[in-house]
Amino acid sequence: MAERKQALLVFSKPPIPGLVKTRMTEKHGGFLTDEQAAQFFKLCLYDVCEASMQALMELQAENDALTAADPDADAITYDFFISTTPQSNLELMRETFEALAPWPMEIHYITDEGATFDDHFDDAFRQIFAQGYEHIVSVGGDIPTMPKSHVTQAFKWLDFYHAQGTPGFVCAPCQECGTSLVGFSSDTPIDHQGVYYNTDGVAALDAYMAKTAAKGIPVSYFSPVADIDEKVDLAHAISCMRAIEQAAQHQAELFVPRRVLRWVDLMGITVCTPPNEEHDPRQYIDQE
């Protein structure tokens, strides 16, 4: 029996007014104050982290049952990490989460450094791999509709590629050619360089695909999950969250982002679209 460690990483800024969700604020054409935008982001972060922890606990319970039935099976430990920057913000991030303690899992805090977003992302991954973790799956803190199944399947696909001897890569796009989930193994020959800080105009998802294709890295793809940067993104997310809330009455595996939904209700935010006054061209077929 081998003992293995795997990690989920939330790579995030702390919820500081004026630092997060600025495109949703009044000064940038949105409708929120800096404080409201920060509060919204904090609640997103809470919901994303709880959903991620639930996914990890499901994976842990599955592995515990496997090792109990088969003493020769590998024992896997799943851990939860948050990385932020700079070092001076670490205590603020810790206080943000301790305000809602206890959490169902221990939170491991690290800080990341670098000259670009790519450098920071690489640094966070490097630190966790240096602690002996074999897989890292990372999700954004502003994606409250992230399905738990994306997280569990991401780790299972990385395990599958590990068993095949060909370390792999997992991803889910966001709505703007970027990514909402990214993961790979300590021996996957890939990094984040030239992905988010790309001076040639290549979209992040395309940059990852170019890297994996060049190295022959097997890829697993999950359906897109939108992050929330602008008010139209929020409208889309609200409709999705309402649908998730209703569907969860019958699909117990769904995670309902209740903190964000309560904030939406408290703010009195509603979703609407302009009346559709265009005629359906099928009217010409339906005429008698």
Side-chain angles (χ1 to χ4, degrees):
M1 177 187 74
E3 294 187 358
R4 299 156 53 196
K5 298 193 298 182
Q6 302 180 10
L8 186 136
L9 167 66
V10 175
F11 185 73
S12 177
K13 293 181 284 189
I16 299 174
L19 182 65
V20 295
K21 298 300 139 197
T22 55
R23 280 185 276 170
M24 296 175 64
T25 60
E26 295 166 340
K27 66 182 71 172
H28 294 286
F31 64 101
L32 301 177
T33 65
D34 287 350
E35 291 71 21
Q36 289 169 340
Q39 179 69 9
F40 164 71
F41 178 71
K42 179 170 69 174
L43 297 175
C44 280
L45 190 59
Y46 284 160
D47 278 341
V48 168
C49 290
E50 183 179 352
S52 299
M53 289 179 183
Q54 286 187 15
L56 292 183
M57 290 188 294
E58 289 174 9
L59 287 166
Q60 190 69 68
E62 186 176 316
N63 183 254
D64 290 347
L66 176 63
T67 55
D70 180 5
D72 293 327
D74 290 349
I76 304 174
T77 299
Y78 297 92
D79 288 324
F80 181 89
F81 283 80
I82 291 177
S83 186
T84 193
T85 193
Q87 175 71 35
S88 58
N89 281 336
L90 182 63
E91 190 56 35
L92 175 58
M93 186 66 89
R94 191 188 305 274
E95 291 172 0
T96 297
F97 281 89
E98 288 181 351
L100 222 63
W103 288 86
M105 293 185 68
E106 180 181 359
I107 300 174
H108 301 270
Y109 298 92
I110 62 174
T111 58
D112 47 86
E113 298 179 351
T116 67
F117 186 95
D118 296 346
D119 292 341
H120 280 264
F121 216 1
D122 274 339
D123 187 47
F125 270 63
R126 189 180 303 114
Q127 290 182 57
I128 297 172
F129 283 142
Q131 296 180 44
Y133 289 85
E134 64 172 355
H135 307 325
I136 298 173
V137 173
S138 180
V139 298
D142 58 349
I143 311 174
T145 56
M146 175 66 68
K148 289 190 298 180
S149 58
H150 274 31
V151 175
T152 56
Q153 288 301 308
F155 281 105
K156 288 181 179 183
W157 273 105
L158 290 176
D159 273 341
F160 172 77
Y161 294 133
H162 170 82
Q164 297 295 309
T166 53
F169 178 90
V170 294
C171 65
C174 67
Q175 76 278 27
E176 294 183 341
C177 308
T179 57
S180 58
L181 177 150
V182 169
F184 50 86
S185 302
S186 59
D187 52 351
T188 304
I190 195 171
D191 56 27
H192 306 285
Q193 291 299 308
V195 173
Y196 300 96
Y197 186 71
N198 189 296
T199 57
D200 296 325
V202 179
L205 183 61
D206 293 332
Y208 277 128
M209 292 304 96
K211 283 175 171 283
T212 53
K215 296 285 184 70
I217 300 169
V219 173
S220 288
Y221 171 93
F222 308 110
S223 59
V225 190
D227 58 11
I228 304 174
D229 287 325
E230 307 200 28
K231 56 187 177 184
V232 293
D233 301 330
L234 178 59
H236 171 75
I238 291 172
S239 293
C240 290
M241 288 187 288
R242 297 290 188 206
I244 291 170
E245 184 178 37
Q246 185 169 337
Q249 299 175 53
H250 310 283
Q251 293 175 272
E253 73 276 11
L254 294 179
F255 176 83
V256 181
R258 300 193 187 279
R259 297 180 184 88
V260 177
L261 279 173
R262 283 196 295 267
W263 176 86
V264 169
D265 291 336
L266 179 65
M267 292 289 292
I269 300 172
T270 57
V271 177
C272 62
T273 60
N276 183 4
E277 297 178 351
E278 297 183 5
H279 295 290
D280 189 329
R282 288 178 299 173
Q283 65 178 312
Y284 302 112
I285 298 174
D286 297 338
Q287 286 178 348
E288 294 182 0

